[in-house]
Amino acid sequence: MLRVREDSCFGCGLCVQSCPRGAISIISTTARIDQHRCDQCRICQDVCPQDAIVYAAPLSERELRSAINGLKERTGDVIARIDRLRLEQS
């Protein structure tokens, strides 16, 4: 699935002009992709000067839970490192 990173898109319209399916429009200076019309050709991704159009592969619930658990584990490790650094600096 293609999606628009709203923080990067400035609404230049190149993606709209390049989409052969007419699946993209500009709304409030940001591109929007109609997922029902989009055939994932990625032409819009190639022409976007801001790299604001990205492919987001859908995850299964199991994959999403695994990713969240991995982030939780890493967060705990980062917090422990910060605590150690604070102790060393005191």
Side-chain angles (χ1 to χ4, degrees):
M1 168 189 298
L2 292 171
R3 68 175 192 84
V4 177
R5 292 179 38 217
E6 293 183 18
D7 60 325
S8 298
C9 178
F10 59 83
C12 70
L14 289 174
C15 56
V16 175
Q17 294 171 2
S18 70
C19 182
R21 306 269 305 189
I24 306 173
S25 56
I26 302 293
I27 300 172
S28 299
T29 69
T30 303
R32 300 275 187 246
I33 299 173
D34 179 343
Q35 298 300 329
H36 297 289
R37 296 179 81 178
C38 178
D39 67 0
Q40 308 297 311
C41 70
R42 298 189 183 186
I43 293 171
C44 58
Q45 192 177 27
D46 292 337
V47 301
C48 180
Q50 294 297 110
D51 294 324
I53 300 175
V54 295
Y55 181 76
L59 298 175
S60 69
E61 184 177 341
R62 183 181 60 79
E63 291 169 319
L64 185 57
R65 287 185 190 278
S66 175
I68 290 170
N69 287 333
L71 288 170
K72 285 179 182 177
E73 289 173 14
R74 283 186 273 176
T75 300
D77 183 48
V78 169
I79 290 171
R81 289 183 202 179
I82 291 170
D83 289 341
R84 280 194 302 271
L85 286 170
R86 283 184 181 154
L87 286 173
E88 290 173 6
Q89 291 178 353
S90 337

